[in-house]
Amino acid sequence: KMQNLLNIQPVIPISLSSQWNLITRTILPVLHQPNLRRKSAYTSGIGDLNPSFFLSSAKPQAIIWGIGPTFMLPTASNKALGLGKWSAGPSLVVLAMPGHWVLGVLTYNIWSFAGQKSRASVNMFELQYFINYNFSGGWYLTSAPINTANWNADSKNTWTIPIGAGFGRTFSISKQALNISLQAFTNIKHPRLGPKWSMRLTVAFLFPE
């Protein structure tokens, strides 16, 4: 069955001093989730809120990095759309932009520390590497699959590993800068009830200084 997921994901840099920036990244998922026990039933609503905070150097460098905590808050509007646990862990992002390339990785691991006793404990890992090659006119090729692991699952259901790529373009409409990309992935490894493939359309509103 098809699942539809809309991530509302503002990324906001905050200047703390001449030496340091704080970058906030918050993900609010809006889901249309199939009920696997009924042929035509779906559950729709918001999922668990995922705020992250990265402390990063304000000085221009060849390697750009950020490190800090990430959290998973049990804000889901329905039990089927969230984990039901308060969770937290460390998060790291590293990227470089040599020539026409943008290369980087974003990763975190979270563990649950409170929440509904009837829900399973959380020990989850995520790693998203991203590779862009930029052409003239704002066009680029991109690959940014999101690899995940549920360490509490058995070995056959631990990993989701997608492989794929897509393309995108940065441009402006009037004075508003936009970045739009489309990617497709096949999951070479996934849990028994996990998806075999996915597509991702990204629309980013950019507000450069």
Side-chain angles (χ1 to χ4, degrees):
K1 296 182 178 180
M2 186 74 68
Q3 179 199 59
N4 295 300
L5 167 62
L6 168 67
N7 276 340
I8 301 170
Q9 185 175 312
V11 178
I12 303 173
I14 301 170
S15 177
L16 299 179
S17 68
S18 60
Q19 301 291 325
W20 298 102
N21 290 331
L22 179 67
I23 302 171
T24 68
R25 173 180 179 261
T26 304
I27 302 176
L28 175 64
V30 182
L31 298 105
H32 186 58
Q33 172 87 20
N35 186 331
L36 299 180
R37 297 181 180 180
R38 297 170 61 185
K39 289 184 177 181
S40 60
Y42 279 80
T43 301
S44 299
I46 65 170
D48 292 340
L49 191 69
N50 176 211
S52 301
F53 303 89
F54 299 95
L55 185 66
S56 180
S57 173
K59 301 289 186 179
Q61 300 176 4
I63 303 294
I64 301 169
W65 58 270
I67 189 170
T70 187
F71 303 91
M72 195 70 72
L73 312 183
T75 57
S77 58
N78 187 284
K79 179 180 179 180
L81 305 179
L83 301 173
K85 292 286 189 178
W86 295 83
S87 306
S91 186
L92 171 70
V93 61
V94 179
L95 67 91
M97 294 183 288
H100 292 277
W101 295 91
V102 178
L103 310 171
V105 63
L106 187 153
T107 186
Y108 68 77
N109 201 101
I110 58 170
W111 297 265
S112 57
F113 59 88
Q116 301 174 23
K117 293 182 178 181
S118 60
R119 304 296 296 273
S121 62
V122 175
N123 182 0
M124 294 180 60
F125 170 78
E126 180 176 303
L127 185 147
Q128 180 180 16
Y129 63 84
F130 41 94
I131 303 170
N132 280 29
Y133 185 83
N134 298 311
F135 299 95
S136 61
W139 291 95
Y140 59 89
L141 296 177
T142 183
S143 179
I146 299 174
N147 302 270
T148 60
N150 177 5
W151 302 122
N152 290 335
D154 61 72
S155 59
K156 293 183 179 180
N157 294 287
T158 300
W159 285 95
T160 299
I161 302 178
I163 290 181
F167 63 94
R169 190 187 181 204
T170 57
F171 60 97
S172 295
I173 298 178
S174 186
K175 295 183 179 180
Q176 179 61 61
L178 295 169
N179 182 2
I180 297 179
S181 66
L182 179 66
Q183 299 181 69
F185 304 95
T186 182
N187 293 333
I188 60 173
K189 191 171 182 60
H190 60 84
R192 183 173 62 88
L193 296 179
K196 296 180 180 179
W197 62 273
S198 65
M199 293 186 67
R200 185 191 312 149
L201 172 66
T202 302
V203 179
F205 294 83
L206 308 176
F207 302 94
E209 293 183 352

